[in-house]
Amino acid sequence: MKQQKRRKKRARPGEPQRITKAVTQIRLIEVNPGKLAALDELAPVYLALCQQYVTLFCLEEAPDKLRAPCYPTPLSERWQRVAIMQAAGIAQSWRTNRAQAYQQYQQDLARYQQRAADGTLDAKAKEPQWREWNVPTLRQPCIQANVNVVKLELSTDSSFDYWLTISTLEFRKQLLIPVKLAEYHQEALTDPKTHQKRTLNSSVQLNQRDGIWWLTLSYDEDVPVQTLPDAPIVGIDVGIANFVTTSTGKQYGSFHKHLRARHKRDRAKRRRKAKLRACLKKKGAKKLPSTSSRTGQRLIRHVKHEINCAVNQCFSEEEHQEAQFAYEQLSVASMRFKAKAQNAYLRASHLGRIPQQILWNSQKRGVMATPVISAYSSQECSVCHYTDRKNRPDQRTFRCQVCRFEAHADYNAAVNLSRRVGDSQLRACRDRAAIKAVLMQRHEQWKQQQGRGNSQQVKRRKRGKSSAAASSI
Ligand SMILES: [Zn+2]
């Protein structure tokens, strides 16, 4: 299902890709005091209703955007439709992520049980446990409204740019709110070729943060694909130590250094706060301090920004201008394995944002980027295909047990990924075991080509980065 969706979105070679661009952070101005009060009243009612449907769609029913309303609410039928639609979207992505994580858990468990049966279990290995996911909690009001409840119209007779007409809780009473765009918003909403105002999508998003309302507008743009069919492929490995490592031997961004130090400080602070909360709760205090910290929020924003910069740099790189990209199709669940001992750290590093940013950058630039299977890409030798955990003596080193090829581990993985575009043999594999079998079969072929029978007698041999990079392109 998901695959189909992805394929539909991806344009065929030569066909332009349609992308939706958002213009965010447009502050709703209050011309008269209390003008937005009706919106303030609506927000919690909407949020509570949306939450009810999110819970329903996560736990009891399949998400259905067209489901008949079933909860009592003062909201109009039109507003209810909007809430149901938004809730269905939230629940759908929650279900998809949960299903992926559960599948991963089952694979881990099967692997654990297999090893236990074979007697090859590591002394420190623990049986994988499944912890049921919580239903998403909607905290801040976010309204994805369509034209039935929020109408956006160009203003022709005032100093404002648009008028926003919002239906309220009161029957037939509508709010009329002027929208004034900043210069950079104006620029984003003007087509640089025709100097015309872009046609906006009719759906808008309204967010309330710290009592202030923000508007997000969006428009569609068709971007022609620039990449030639035979363009060289650059593989991208995603990680914490280096956000992005390419098969051309480049690295961009890192969670280490100052980001890690900040994360540690923030974690310590949150722990202290949690202790204080527990203590106050025991004593029966009514008002408890919040566990979310301002510095924590700032850190998250900063990490996201660093990720955006790293991916942007990778795409802007002179050497990558004529290239296409291959990147890891990683799920939140499989990311765990990329950072075993560093789970809290991993959440803070927002690794999942990197593939999203790669997809976004490729779409807006009209560059091909293909998600590829990432299984064993960090254990496979990019020279002889020998695949073994022992090829990784530590987090950053790759050293092949057979051909002795040695490189930075992320770089070796990036080279492997660059070769997996259009690898139908790997794609046909049903599970990790089948993938490993294919890779080991390729290793056998490599050995035969080398004219060597016994892999253990291979002479020590090292290959430089540059020669492997050249062969990957
Ligand atoms: Zn090797």
Side-chain angles (χ1 to χ4, degrees):
M1 180 71 194
K2 213 176 169 208
Q3 197 68 25
Q4 261 179 358
K5 247 195 204 160
R6 200 169 284 147
R7 250 181 233 149
K8 225 188 265 170
K9 255 198 229 162
R10 181 169 300 246
R12 277 188 219 133
E15 221 172 79
Q17 316 193 66
R18 169 151 291 187
I19 57 169
T20 302
K21 287 187 173 175
V23 180
T24 60
Q25 306 277 10
I26 303 168
R27 188 173 169 166
L28 288 190
I29 28 179
E30 207 156 6
V31 202
N32 313 310
K35 178 104 195 204
L36 293 174
L39 198 52
D40 293 341
E41 266 168 45
L42 182 121
V45 180
Y46 180 86
L47 199 67
L49 185 71
C50 200
Q51 180 70 63
Q52 278 182 299
Y53 284 106
V54 166
T55 308
L56 177 74
F57 290 147
C58 283
L59 301 180
E60 282 165 46
E61 288 180 12
D64 178 6
K65 291 188 173 186
L66 303 173
R67 196 203 188 287
C70 63
Y71 295 116
T73 171
L75 287 168
S76 68
E77 164 117 24
R78 285 176 167 193
W79 267 116
Q80 292 182 51
R81 294 245 65 89
V82 171
I84 291 169
M85 221 180 258
Q86 187 171 350
I90 295 168
Q92 187 57 60
S93 62
W94 181 84
R95 276 178 178 257
T96 308
N97 291 336
R98 186 198 165 276
Q100 270 175 6
Y102 192 71
Q103 199 186 359
Q104 186 75 53
Y105 155 74
Q106 284 179 316
Q107 283 174 15
D108 294 349
L109 189 65
R111 210 181 321 167
Y112 175 88
Q113 285 165 345
Q114 183 67 48
R115 282 192 188 140
D118 298 348
T120 52
L121 206 58
D122 205 48
K124 279 185 272 174
K126 275 191 213 144
E127 185 172 335
Q129 300 288 329
W130 174 254
R131 274 180 54 194
E132 195 43 77
W133 284 28
N134 293 327
V135 171
T137 312
L138 312 178
R139 290 201 174 85
Q140 281 173 329
C142 168
I143 302 172
Q144 279 159 19
N146 62 23
V147 70
N148 290 333
V149 288
V150 179
K151 214 180 282 169
L152 183 77
E153 280 162 311
L154 260 176
S155 163
T156 45
D157 54 354
S158 70
S159 63
F160 301 113
D161 297 285
Y162 294 95
W163 289 103
L164 210 54
T165 314
I166 305 174
S167 309
T168 65
L169 285 173
E170 248 176 275
F171 185 62
R172 287 209 175 135
K173 196 188 161 197
Q174 293 185 319
L175 265 183
L176 195 62
I177 298 167
V179 177
K180 181 93 186 132
L181 296 178
E183 211 165 301
Y184 54 90
H185 292 141
Q186 300 267 21
E187 207 177 306
L189 289 174
T190 308
D191 189 331
K193 280 181 214 137
T194 59
H195 302 286
Q196 299 266 313
K197 269 203 174 168
R198 295 183 191 275
T199 311
L200 293 175
N201 294 332
S202 60
S203 58
V204 303
Q205 190 176 307
L206 292 167
N207 289 80
Q208 191 190 33
R209 277 192 302 271
D210 301 328
I212 296 164
W213 282 97
W214 302 90
L215 170 71
T216 299
L217 303 173
S218 67
Y219 59 89
D220 288 339
E221 196 179 344
D222 289 331
V223 182
V225 180
Q226 315 275 357
T227 310
L228 299 172
D230 59 347
I233 302 170
V234 174
I236 298 179
D237 181 72
V238 166
I240 292 181
N242 300 294
F243 284 154
V244 167
T245 303
T246 64
S247 57
T248 49
K250 299 222 158 41
Q251 293 176 330
Y252 309 91
S254 172
F255 189 70
H256 289 331
K257 296 174 207 151
H258 60 286
L259 282 182
R260 173 157 59 177
R262 274 176 67 178
H263 169 63
K264 268 193 181 154
R265 279 200 302 273
D266 181 60
R267 234 181 122 196
K269 195 172 164 186
R270 257 186 301 156
R271 281 222 183 107
R272 284 197 303 273
K273 260 190 167 174
K275 261 189 193 163
L276 180 67
R277 253 179 87 96
C279 192
L280 287 171
K281 208 173 170 184
K282 238 184 184 171
K283 286 181 178 164
K286 281 230 170 73
K287 207 172 170 226
L288 299 173
S290 113
T291 44
S292 82
S293 73
R294 210 161 271 265
T295 49
Q297 296 290 324
R298 228 181 0 243
L299 179 63
I300 290 170
R301 275 204 299 276
H302 190 83
V303 171
K304 286 180 176 176
H305 176 73
E306 296 272 300
I307 287 174
N308 295 359
C309 287
V311 176
N312 194 33
Q313 274 176 358
C314 174
F315 275 81
S316 313
E317 185 79 47
E318 184 76 40
E319 206 182 321
H320 299 162
Q321 286 317 302
E322 308 283 310
Q324 56 174 313
F325 295 88
Y327 63 102
E328 285 180 83
Q329 199 170 20
L330 41 77
S331 63
V332 183
S334 65
M335 271 184 260
R336 251 169 341 120
F337 293 96
K338 299 215 77 177
K340 268 195 183 138
Q342 331 173 352
N343 265 322
Y345 196 58
L346 171 72
R347 272 194 296 278
S349 63
H350 295 269
L351 230 50
R353 189 180 178 84
I354 303 180
Q356 287 169 10
Q357 279 296 312
I358 292 172
L359 181 64
W360 168 242
N361 262 277
S362 72
Q363 287 179 333
K364 77 173 180 196
R365 292 161 190 262
V367 171
M368 283 291 288
T370 314
V372 295
I373 289 168
S374 64
Y376 294 109
S377 60
S378 58
Q379 293 178 21
E380 181 191 357
C381 171
S382 59
V383 175
C384 76
H385 305 292
Y386 181 69
T387 305
D388 194 329
R389 255 199 303 185
K390 294 199 185 96
N391 286 349
R392 296 286 304 279
D394 57 61
Q395 189 64 32
R396 48 173 304 161
T397 315
F398 184 91
R399 192 181 300 128
C400 179
Q401 298 284 301
V402 176
C403 76
R404 298 288 158 189
F405 167 69
E406 194 173 324
H408 193 291
D410 296 345
Y411 165 74
N412 179 70
V415 174
N416 286 330
L417 292 168
S418 74
R419 294 173 183 158
R420 291 189 179 183
V421 174
D423 191 332
S424 48
Q425 203 184 2
L426 277 192
R427 203 170 296 159
C429 292
R430 296 195 55 168
D431 53 24
R432 285 175 62 91
I435 291 175
K436 182 152 183 185
V438 167
L439 297 176
M440 289 309 275
Q441 200 184 329
R442 288 176 186 177
H443 173 63
E444 288 304 317
Q445 282 165 4
W446 176 86
K447 273 202 300 193
Q448 276 170 16
Q449 277 167 11
Q450 300 293 307
R452 292 164 184 156
N454 191 344
S455 59
Q456 297 308 315
Q457 289 165 2
V458 173
K459 257 194 325 193
R460 252 176 175 272
R461 194 171 70 120
K462 272 190 190 176
R463 272 179 73 169
K465 253 186 176 183
S466 53
S467 63
S471 67
S472 79
I473 283 201

PDB file of all heavy atoms in Angstrom, residues 318-329:
ATOM      1  N   GLU A 318      29.487  20.866  -5.328  1.00  0.00           N
ATOM      2  CA  GLU A 318      29.903  20.967  -6.724  1.00  0.00           C
ATOM      3  C   GLU A 318      29.972  19.589  -7.407  1.00  0.00           C
ATOM      4  O   GLU A 318      29.416  19.363  -8.474  1.00  0.00           O
ATOM      5  CB  GLU A 318      31.290  21.641  -6.736  1.00  0.00           C
ATOM      6  CG  GLU A 318      31.855  21.927  -8.098  1.00  0.00           C
ATOM      7  CD  GLU A 318      31.189  23.134  -8.747  1.00  0.00           C
ATOM      8  OE1 GLU A 318      30.940  24.099  -8.010  1.00  0.00           O
ATOM      9  OE2 GLU A 318      30.931  23.079  -9.960  1.00  0.00           O
ATOM     10  N   GLU A 319      30.642  18.684  -6.703  1.00  0.00           N
ATOM     11  CA  GLU A 319      30.888  17.352  -7.249  1.00  0.00           C
ATOM     12  C   GLU A 319      29.595  16.554  -7.476  1.00  0.00           C
ATOM     13  O   GLU A 319      29.576  15.593  -8.229  1.00  0.00           O
ATOM     14  CB  GLU A 319      31.778  16.607  -6.240  1.00  0.00           C
ATOM     15  CG  GLU A 319      32.629  15.526  -6.812  1.00  0.00           C
ATOM     16  CD  GLU A 319      33.426  14.845  -5.693  1.00  0.00           C
ATOM     17  OE1 GLU A 319      33.896  15.564  -4.772  1.00  0.00           O
ATOM     18  OE2 GLU A 319      33.560  13.624  -5.736  1.00  0.00           O
ATOM     19  N   HIS A 320      28.508  16.934  -6.794  1.00  0.00           N
ATOM     20  CA  HIS A 320      27.261  16.162  -6.886  1.00  0.00           C
ATOM     21  C   HIS A 320      26.256  16.757  -7.877  1.00  0.00           C
ATOM     22  O   HIS A 320      25.128  16.296  -7.942  1.00  0.00           O
ATOM     23  CB  HIS A 320      26.594  16.068  -5.499  1.00  0.00           C
ATOM     24  CG  HIS A 320      27.434  15.373  -4.479  1.00  0.00           C
ATOM     25  ND1 HIS A 320      27.214  15.491  -3.125  1.00  0.00           N
ATOM     26  CD2 HIS A 320      28.499  14.540  -4.607  1.00  0.00           C
ATOM     27  CE1 HIS A 320      28.108  14.772  -2.471  1.00  0.00           C
ATOM     28  NE2 HIS A 320      28.902  14.189  -3.341  1.00  0.00           N
ATOM     29  N   GLN A 321      26.656  17.787  -8.613  1.00  0.00           N
ATOM     30  CA  GLN A 321      25.685  18.509  -9.422  1.00  0.00           C
ATOM     31  C   GLN A 321      25.011  17.677 -10.503  1.00  0.00           C
ATOM     32  O   GLN A 321      23.837  17.842 -10.778  1.00  0.00           O
ATOM     33  CB  GLN A 321      26.325  19.770 -10.030  1.00  0.00           C
ATOM     34  CG  GLN A 321      26.530  20.878  -9.018  1.00  0.00           C
ATOM     35  CD  GLN A 321      25.330  21.055  -8.086  1.00  0.00           C
ATOM     36  OE1 GLN A 321      24.229  21.302  -8.532  1.00  0.00           O
ATOM     37  NE2 GLN A 321      25.531  20.889  -6.775  1.00  0.00           N
ATOM     38  N   GLU A 322      25.758  16.773 -11.123  1.00  0.00           N
ATOM     39  CA  GLU A 322      25.170  15.988 -12.218  1.00  0.00           C
ATOM     40  C   GLU A 322      24.660  14.640 -11.724  1.00  0.00           C
ATOM     41  O   GLU A 322      24.215  13.819 -12.517  1.00  0.00           O
ATOM     42  CB  GLU A 322      26.230  15.741 -13.306  1.00  0.00           C
ATOM     43  CG  GLU A 322      26.929  16.981 -13.800  1.00  0.00           C
ATOM     44  CD  GLU A 322      26.059  17.765 -14.763  1.00  0.00           C
ATOM     45  OE1 GLU A 322      25.539  17.151 -15.699  1.00  0.00           O
ATOM     46  OE2 GLU A 322      25.873  18.982 -14.535  1.00  0.00           O
ATOM     47  N   ALA A 323      24.731  14.422 -10.409  1.00  0.00           N
ATOM     48  CA  ALA A 323      24.497  13.074  -9.882  1.00  0.00           C
ATOM     49  C   ALA A 323      23.046  12.838  -9.483  1.00  0.00           C
ATOM     50  O   ALA A 323      22.240  13.756  -9.405  1.00  0.00           O
ATOM     51  CB  ALA A 323      25.398  12.840  -8.670  1.00  0.00           C
ATOM     52  N   GLN A 324      22.708  11.576  -9.266  1.00  0.00           N
ATOM     53  CA  GLN A 324      21.470  11.209  -8.581  1.00  0.00           C
ATOM     54  C   GLN A 324      21.858  10.535  -7.262  1.00  0.00           C
ATOM     55  O   GLN A 324      23.027  10.213  -7.056  1.00  0.00           O
ATOM     56  CB  GLN A 324      20.637  10.269  -9.446  1.00  0.00           C
ATOM     57  CG  GLN A 324      21.363   9.008  -9.876  1.00  0.00           C
ATOM     58  CD  GLN A 324      20.437   8.053 -10.614  1.00  0.00           C
ATOM     59  OE1 GLN A 324      19.334   7.782 -10.194  1.00  0.00           O
ATOM     60  NE2 GLN A 324      20.917   7.549 -11.744  1.00  0.00           N
ATOM     61  N   PHE A 325      20.884  10.351  -6.393  1.00  0.00           N
ATOM     62  CA  PHE A 325      21.214   9.860  -5.053  1.00  0.00           C
ATOM     63  C   PHE A 325      20.487   8.567  -4.712  1.00  0.00           C
ATOM     64  O   PHE A 325      19.393   8.301  -5.204  1.00  0.00           O
ATOM     65  CB  PHE A 325      20.872  10.923  -4.007  1.00  0.00           C
ATOM     66  CG  PHE A 325      21.700  12.167  -4.135  1.00  0.00           C
ATOM     67  CD1 PHE A 325      21.294  13.202  -4.968  1.00  0.00           C
ATOM     68  CD2 PHE A 325      22.900  12.294  -3.456  1.00  0.00           C
ATOM     69  CE1 PHE A 325      22.064  14.347  -5.116  1.00  0.00           C
ATOM     70  CE2 PHE A 325      23.674  13.433  -3.586  1.00  0.00           C
ATOM     71  CZ  PHE A 325      23.252  14.466  -4.416  1.00  0.00           C
ATOM     72  N   ALA A 326      21.144   7.780  -3.864  1.00  0.00           N
ATOM     73  CA  ALA A 326      20.507   6.585  -3.290  1.00  0.00           C
ATOM     74  C   ALA A 326      20.638   6.722  -1.782  1.00  0.00           C
ATOM     75  O   ALA A 326      21.715   7.036  -1.291  1.00  0.00           O
ATOM     76  CB  ALA A 326      21.226   5.327  -3.754  1.00  0.00           C
ATOM     77  N   TYR A 327      19.541   6.534  -1.070  1.00  0.00           N
ATOM     78  CA  TYR A 327      19.622   6.700   0.381  1.00  0.00           C
ATOM     79  C   TYR A 327      18.879   5.592   1.098  1.00  0.00           C
ATOM     80  O   TYR A 327      18.071   4.884   0.520  1.00  0.00           O
ATOM     81  CB  TYR A 327      19.096   8.074   0.799  1.00  0.00           C
ATOM     82  CG  TYR A 327      17.634   8.321   0.492  1.00  0.00           C
ATOM     83  CD1 TYR A 327      16.668   8.227   1.493  1.00  0.00           C
ATOM     84  CD2 TYR A 327      17.219   8.660  -0.784  1.00  0.00           C
ATOM     85  CE1 TYR A 327      15.326   8.463   1.221  1.00  0.00           C
ATOM     86  CE2 TYR A 327      15.888   8.895  -1.065  1.00  0.00           C
ATOM     87  CZ  TYR A 327      14.945   8.796  -0.066  1.00  0.00           C
ATOM     88  OH  TYR A 327      13.627   9.016  -0.346  1.00  0.00           O
ATOM     89  N   GLU A 328      19.182   5.476   2.370  1.00  0.00           N
ATOM     90  CA  GLU A 328      18.618   4.403   3.176  1.00  0.00           C
ATOM     91  C   GLU A 328      17.137   4.582   3.381  1.00  0.00           C
ATOM     92  O   GLU A 328      16.687   5.657   3.758  1.00  0.00           O
ATOM     93  CB  GLU A 328      19.252   4.414   4.568  1.00  0.00           C
ATOM     94  CG  GLU A 328      20.630   3.892   4.622  1.00  0.00           C
ATOM     95  CD  GLU A 328      21.132   3.958   6.044  1.00  0.00           C
ATOM     96  OE1 GLU A 328      20.831   3.055   6.819  1.00  0.00           O
ATOM     97  OE2 GLU A 328      21.797   4.951   6.372  1.00  0.00           O
ATOM     98  N   GLN A 329      16.414   3.495   3.196  1.00  0.00           N
ATOM     99  CA  GLN A 329      14.990   3.519   3.434  1.00  0.00           C
ATOM    100  C   GLN A 329      14.800   3.168   4.901  1.00  0.00           C
ATOM    101  O   GLN A 329      14.338   2.091   5.231  1.00  0.00           O
ATOM    102  CB  GLN A 329      14.377   2.431   2.564  1.00  0.00           C
ATOM    103  CG  GLN A 329      12.927   2.567   2.321  1.00  0.00           C
ATOM    104  CD  GLN A 329      12.508   1.579   1.262  1.00  0.00           C
ATOM    105  OE1 GLN A 329      13.175   0.594   0.995  1.00  0.00           O
ATOM    106  NE2 GLN A 329      11.392   1.842   0.650  1.00  0.00           N
TER     107      GLN A 329
END
